[in-house]
Structure formats: C-alpha cells, structure tokens
Amino acid sequence: MNRNTTAAAGTLAALAAVVLRLVTGPPHLGWYLAAWALCAAALWQAARLPERRAAVLVLAGGITLAATGLAAPPSSSTDSFRYAWDGRVQAAGVSPYDHPPADPALVRLRDDWLFPAACDAPSLWPLPGGGCTRINRPTEPTIYPPVAQGYFLLVHWLSPDGVRHKALQLGGFAAAVAVLAILCRAAGARRAAYWAWCPAVPVEAVNNAHVDMLGVLLVVLAFTAVRGRGALLGAAVAAKLLPVTALPGALSGVLSGVLSGGPGGGVAWRRVLGVVGPAGLVIALSYLPYVLVSGASVAGYLPGYLKEERYDGPGGGNRYAVLRLFVPDGWAPWAAVALLVLVVLAVLRYGDADRPWRGALLVSGSLLLLFTPGYSWYALLVVALAALDGRWEWLGVALAGAVAYTAGPAAPGTPGTPAYAVAALVVLAGWAVRRSRGDHLLSSARKD
C-alpha cells in the first residue's frame, strides 16, 4: 500500500469515526461539517490513486461507512417509526390511508415499542386521549405512496418479532450498497465515491432508514438498465414522489426537433410514449388497490404536509430562501415554479438523450435549490445522479440540506439559507468552468 492509498484509507477511517459519532449521539452541526470536510478530502485523495486501488477503496470504504449507520437506532428522524406502523397496519388488513395512528380503532395494533407506557423520553408525540407514541404526526394519516407501502409491508412480513427499527435499517443498507455496486459498474470507482463516501448515505439512507433510498435505487436502475426505464421510473415516483424530477431527464432532447424545420422535426412522440406510458401505467396500477379501498383519501397527509412546510404561500418559513434574497417574498413561489419549468423545458429541448441522468440531475438539483427544503434526505437522489454524471459540485446541495436540517428546518435565521446560497454559487461556478472546457451540462446543445 503506497503513501496515497494509506492517506486515503486514514481519511476514510476518520470519516467512519465521525459518522459513528453522528448516529450514536444527538445531531450536531459541527460533526456534520467535519464529516463533509473528510469526505471532500477523501475524494481529492482518491483522484490521485490508480483505478484498481481506487475501486477497492471505494467499495470497502462505502460498505464500511454504510454499515456505521446500523450501529444505533435512528438518530435524527422518526420517520421510520411511521414506516413500521404502516407495515403493521397493512398486515392486519387495514389501509394506512384510512386511519391515523391515534385512531382508537387501531388500539389493538399498538405495542410498547411504538406506544411506550412512559412518556418522559425525548422525541415522543402526545396522543389526544392520553399516552404518547414514537410516530410523528399521530393524528394524521400516512403520507407515503403505494410502492413505499408495499415495501413497508414486505419488511414487516420478513421481520422477526422484536426487530423494531433494525429491519428497515438493513433494507436501507442493502439498497445503498446496491446503488454503490451499480455506480461502480456504470460510472467507475472515482465517480461512485461521491455516493460511497457521502455522509448523507450512512446517516439518512441507513441509520434513519428513509424510504427515499428505495426511490434512488429505482432511478439508478432506470438509467443504467437496458430495458424498463419508464416502468422503473414510475415505480420510483410511486415510492417517494420526488423522483418525478427524473422523468424530464429520461425525456432529454424530445423537443430537439421542434425548431429544426427539417423533415424529422417535431416532438419525438415515440420516446415520450415509451417513457411516460409505462411510468403512468405502473403508478396507476400501484395506486389502484388502495383507491378501491380508501378512495380519495390515498392522498394521505400530502396536502397538509405542503401547507405545514409552507410551500403553499408567499414568504413561507424558510422555503424559497435563495430566491427571496433577490425577489419579494410574495413573488418567490411563482418565481421558483417558473424557473423550474424553464429548466425542464431546457432539458427537453437541449438535453442529451445518451446521458439522461444529466438532465435528471439538473432538474432534481434545481428543485432543491429553488424550494430549499429543510430535510437532508431529499438530496439522496441528487447525490446518486451527481455520481452517475461525475459532477461533484452538486454535492453541495446535499450539504446545504444537512445544514438546514441540523440547525432546525423551521428556525428563523437558519444557516440553511446561506448554505443553499453557497451551494447555488458552487453549481454555477462548476457550470462556468465546465462550459469553458466545452463540457456542457446540456451537451446536445453543441449539435445545433
């Protein structure tokens, strides 16, 4: 083992120690920043290694880092408790969209883990009739779409008694390692390192077991598989709605002939139908059983969530934080939507059909920069797409989400706002540098 390899391995060992501290203790911004600094150092060191040594280090380091997420119960999110409850409810023959966890009709399904007798521990939610639960928003029905519900039910069926959170963490670990293996094969070890060593993976995908990981896996499969892209993207959307941002990427360049005026001009309808048709069919079929049982209530808590997070009005909380530095608060939501539409149209017109993940990265990353959510796990998809495309500058979006969440997603004056602003500047700087080198983000633009 030469000096460069030893240095990279030492950096990864330090990163693993910091991540272990993150998942075994209370959230702390300093530890998050330390983890990201070590990740950046490891990526810089890996760029100087031979490909074979880098591949070994990426795989071994990625698996080790992901495994650190298994070392403790969920450290900074209670979402996985809702996953466990939804799986239990379905196994009992009840639709999770019909009753909130606090409903007395489901008392028979409660246990001491999700509904502890003592209510003096942190991160417990009160129940209207007395008592408490680990499940957040217990008076609201589930928000998660049907493919996620199928995953929760499967995990419940496969879990032995008393497994509690561990089965969901193991599911996140398996999905994270699967994405790592796919990225190594499709993009190479150095690019896969963006995913393998990103602190968000062990913390959010494994320790907090966010179901976003399932959507990420399905999107990565869609962009690397030979067939079934539309169906896989539809399943991803029905797992966690955010992967809908990958659909424009799959349609990159379908409008490239609209303004050409040639005999082949116009919309590439065959490509559109080849993606949108299977995606829509999978989404419809996944919702159908729940619609038959629960009707319109399959929307769950989604409308309430959007209102709670203040996406629905001007000047809402810390949403649209970067845009609100430049435009009046009342304009920010409309400006965010308009800019996102322009980004989507640019991908459809100029996107590279041979690199669909590139357009998907632009849309999904732009969404987070424009809407500035306060939840770090939303950026897991951006991290995976950045690894596929080799565009490290987009990793700053995930770091900004971590800063916003750790500081408090609703806290006034949160450092998440400057973090998102810096992330946007880094993305723009990366675009300018690559453009000067002839590496366009929408590379098919060079063909016109």
Side-chain angles (χ1 to χ4, degrees), residues 8-436:
T11 302
L12 287 177
L15 175 57
V18 171
V19 171
L20 190 62
R21 167 59 181 77
L22 278 172
V23 302
T24 55
H28 191 280
L29 182 57
W31 288 111
Y32 271 103
L33 295 177
W36 277 93
L38 289 167
C39 172
L43 292 174
W44 181 81
Q45 291 166 334
R48 308 173 66 184
L49 296 178
E51 180 68 23
R52 181 168 296 186
R53 287 180 182 171
V56 172
L57 203 59
V58 167
L59 283 170
I63 293 171
T64 301
L65 279 171
T68 61
L70 301 171
S75 58
S76 54
S77 171
T78 57
D79 285 357
S80 62
F81 301 128
R82 171 75 74 158
Y83 306 164
W85 175 254
D86 283 0
R88 182 181 302 175
V89 166
Q90 291 178 91
V94 178
S95 170
Y97 302 106
D98 286 346
H99 304 274
D103 194 326
L106 302 182
V107 169
R108 60 189 172 87
L109 300 178
R110 297 180 183 180
D111 66 358
D112 291 338
W113 172 51
L114 291 177
F115 297 84
C119 296
D120 52 354
S123 301
L124 294 177
W125 291 66
L127 296 172
C132 58
T133 179
R134 299 182 189 274
I135 304 168
N136 58 41
R137 303 174 182 89
T139 59
E140 304 294 344
T142 190
I143 192 175
Y144 300 102
V147 168
Q149 294 297 338
Y151 171 69
F152 303 154
L153 178 59
L154 178 64
V155 171
H156 177 85
W157 279 341
L158 296 177
S159 300
D161 291 338
V163 72
R164 299 185 296 176
H165 57 272
K166 191 58 67 180
L168 288 161
Q169 289 182 332
L170 287 170
F173 172 80
V177 172
V179 168
L180 171 58
I182 296 169
L183 291 173
C184 281
R185 178 173 56 85
R190 289 189 178 87
R191 291 185 178 182
Y194 299 170
W195 172 264
W197 302 342
C198 176
V201 175
V203 174
E204 305 299 356
V206 182
N207 180 255
N208 289 323
H210 284 289
V211 75
D212 302 64
M213 189 61 246
L214 177 60
V216 172
L217 175 59
L218 290 167
V219 170
V220 171
L221 283 172
F223 285 142
T224 56
V226 177
R227 296 171 185 250
R229 176 170 296 169
L232 287 166
L233 288 175
V237 173
K240 186 67 186 286
L241 301 175
L242 269 177
V244 72
T245 56
L247 281 171
L251 300 173
S252 293
V254 296
L255 300 183
S256 60
V258 170
L259 301 178
S260 65
V267 180
W269 288 112
R270 181 173 295 183
R271 281 188 57 212
V272 173
L273 294 175
V275 172
V276 176
L281 182 61
V282 168
I283 293 171
L285 290 176
S286 65
Y287 268 102
L288 182 60
Y290 294 97
V291 170
L292 292 176
V293 173
S294 302
S297 64
V298 293
Y301 185 57
L302 180 60
Y305 171 80
L306 295 175
K307 185 175 182 179
E308 174 188 312
E309 290 296 316
R310 304 183 71 178
Y311 286 108
D312 62 338
N318 296 314
R319 307 294 76 80
Y320 319 108
V322 176
L323 283 176
R324 288 163 59 193
L325 297 174
F326 304 98
V327 303
D329 286 0
W331 294 8
W334 307 107
V337 172
L339 289 171
L340 188 63
V341 169
L342 289 176
V343 170
V344 170
L345 290 175
V347 169
L348 298 180
R349 174 67 175 87
Y350 299 107
D352 189 346
D354 294 328
R355 297 177 178 86
W357 50 83
R358 182 164 291 181
L361 172 60
L362 179 58
V363 176
S364 59
S366 297
L367 175 77
L368 299 186
L369 290 175
L370 291 170
F371 288 78
T372 59
Y375 298 107
S376 50
W377 51 91
Y378 286 6
L380 285 170
L381 178 59
V382 172
V383 174
L385 293 172
L388 263 179
D389 205 36
R391 295 181 182 266
W392 59 265
E393 61 268 26
W394 286 95
L395 296 178
V397 178
L399 173 55
V403 171
Y405 183 67
T406 308
T414 173
T417 297
Y420 270 117
V422 171
L425 289 175
V426 171
V427 168
L428 290 174
W431 169 80
V433 170
R434 293 179 190 277
R435 185 176 179 83
S436 69

